[in-house]
Amino acid sequence: MSRLSQVIQYALIHSKEISRANGRNSLFRLRIFFDMIYCFLKYRMWTNQYVKENFHQKSQNERKRLGLQYREEGKKRDAWQKDFRENRLFFIKYGNIKYEKASLRKKRDKAYTKRYETGKNLFVEYDVNISRQHYLEGTIKIGNNVLLAKHVFIDYSGEVIIHDNVAIANGVIIETHTHSLVNKKSIPIQSKLEIFDGASILTRAYIADTCHSIGRLAKIGAGSYVRSNIPPYAIVIGNPAKIVGFKMTPEEIIEYEKTHYDENDRLPLDLLQKNYKKYFLSRCKEIRQWCKI
């Protein structure tokens, strides 16, 4: 009923505007007003959409074609709003610090696991907010043995994939959308982020929408502002974030992966050597100077 009340309120305004623009009388305005209400009830069409399409001037066939199109869009919009409301209520309930009690922690973990269809052994602390914005049909996929520490915010307006054994520490923010100005109108733009197995993102790091990949076992330092992709096993710190080293040499990584990954899942030596040279060996002097600062 609240939505219908809002439509009635704007129908009074917009029907008056259309009547004035066409130099018509109050009877014409009344007809437009009731037509707007009818179109909302039949097609889920908002009054501003009615005005935009000059719906009162359309033929019956055009009205039906456009109306059905808006009805489908309306169904999607209503489903998105329903999910958004449910998500807010979920966060208000399970984000509460009371679920830090030992007796309630497992209940919270299970609730998040069910809500977001995650893998096994998800560990969630309080005030973990996972949401999407601007009617965007984003998706999120979370693997096994993942940690989401307190005050983590994950925006899945775009696409988020978190692989197994990932740790996301206190206060981390992850964004997967931005805005672009088109014809003086702000348009949301989706992006994708994939965090590979074993990666760790430390306290209050910020992962911008321009970062699309955080590699296997990479380590993002506390307070880092990450704007670009991070290769596997890299160590990253700073604002803006910079690669300052790797956890192991390429040869050590090869030996490590022999005992931790199936053969088909191991990273090739040439890729590891290329990353090691590009991000570390060729920049050692720059890294030492930057770290002193």
Side-chain angles (χ1 to χ4, degrees):
M1 287 300 294
S2 60
R3 178 65 71 186
L4 179 58
S5 298
Q6 188 179 32
V7 169
I8 291 172
Q9 178 185 350
Y10 280 98
L12 288 169
I13 298 170
H14 289 145
S15 61
K16 184 177 182 180
E17 291 175 352
I18 291 175
S19 179
R20 282 182 175 177
N22 287 271
R24 305 295 292 272
N25 57 24
S26 57
L27 186 63
F28 177 82
R29 177 189 174 187
L30 191 62
R31 183 172 68 82
I32 296 298
F33 170 80
F34 282 113
D35 194 38
M36 286 180 170
I37 304 302
Y38 170 81
C39 288
F40 170 74
L41 295 174
K42 184 175 179 63
Y43 299 124
R44 311 302 294 172
M45 177 183 286
W46 291 344
T47 59
N48 64 328
Q49 295 169 334
Y50 184 103
V51 173
K52 175 186 174 183
E53 298 290 352
N54 289 316
F55 210 66
H56 63 288
Q57 296 178 347
K58 302 295 184 185
S59 67
Q60 287 300 318
N61 287 337
E62 288 178 308
R63 283 169 65 92
K64 183 176 181 180
R65 179 183 62 80
L66 280 172
L68 292 175
Q69 179 181 319
Y70 274 106
R71 186 164 68 184
E72 287 304 307
E73 291 176 359
K75 287 179 181 179
K76 291 180 182 179
R77 180 186 67 235
D78 292 346
W80 193 98
Q81 289 178 335
K82 180 175 182 292
D83 180 76
F84 183 82
R85 288 192 296 269
E86 290 175 351
N87 204 59
R88 296 305 301 167
L89 292 173
F90 177 89
F91 170 64
I92 289 169
K93 179 178 179 179
Y94 290 105
N96 195 296
I97 197 170
K98 74 178 185 179
Y99 280 90
E100 284 297 280
K101 293 180 181 178
S103 59
L104 294 177
R105 284 183 177 180
K106 286 187 178 180
K107 184 177 180 180
R108 178 178 57 203
D109 293 342
K110 288 181 179 179
Y112 273 85
T113 297
K114 181 179 180 180
R115 174 73 185 168
Y116 301 104
E117 299 180 348
T118 75
K120 298 177 181 178
N121 303 321
L122 176 70
F123 185 83
V124 184
E125 295 183 346
Y126 70 92
D127 192 37
V128 171
N129 187 352
I130 303 173
S131 65
R132 54 184 176 172
Q133 311 293 323
H134 309 298
Y135 293 98
L136 296 172
E137 296 294 329
T139 60
I140 185 167
K141 182 178 180 182
I142 301 175
N144 302 315
N145 309 313
V146 170
L147 164 66
L148 301 177
K150 56 184 175 289
H151 309 308
V152 163
F153 174 81
I154 299 177
D155 160 44
Y156 70 101
S157 300
E159 181 180 4
V160 176
I161 301 174
I162 302 174
H163 289 260
D164 298 346
N165 307 308
V166 168
I168 302 179
N170 171 28
V172 168
I173 296 175
I174 292 173
E175 296 282 3
T176 57
H177 84 281
T178 188
H179 294 265
S180 179
L181 197 61
V182 178
N183 295 327
K184 297 183 179 181
K185 184 178 180 181
S186 181
I187 304 296
I189 306 296
Q190 296 167 286
S191 61
K192 176 181 177 180
L193 172 66
E194 188 164 6
I195 306 174
F196 288 87
D197 50 288
S200 56
I201 306 175
L202 303 189
T203 301
R204 301 193 181 283
Y206 181 93
I207 313 300
D209 65 283
T210 49
C211 174
H212 306 303
S213 173
I214 297 176
R216 173 183 296 175
L217 266 82
K219 185 174 183 178
I220 311 298
S224 297
Y225 185 100
V226 182
R227 299 185 299 183
S228 55
N229 296 345
I230 306 302
Y233 296 90
I235 300 171
V236 174
I237 62 172
N239 179 5
K242 295 180 182 293
I243 298 171
V244 295
F246 285 81
K247 288 184 174 180
M248 294 174 265
T249 65
E251 292 72 24
E252 289 171 336
I253 293 172
I254 291 296
E255 293 302 314
Y256 172 82
E257 294 203 346
K258 284 180 181 179
T259 57
H260 288 79
Y261 294 96
D262 293 334
E263 186 174 355
N264 291 335
D265 293 330
R266 296 171 196 166
L267 298 173
L269 179 59
D270 59 342
L271 173 64
L272 296 170
Q273 289 175 331
K274 180 181 178 181
N275 287 339
Y276 197 72
K277 180 179 180 181
K278 178 180 178 181
Y279 295 108
F280 183 63
L281 293 181
S282 65
R283 298 177 56 245
C284 280
K285 184 176 179 180
E286 177 189 345
I287 291 170
R288 282 195 296 268
Q289 183 63 31
W290 186 76
C291 288
K292 286 179 182 178
I293 296 172

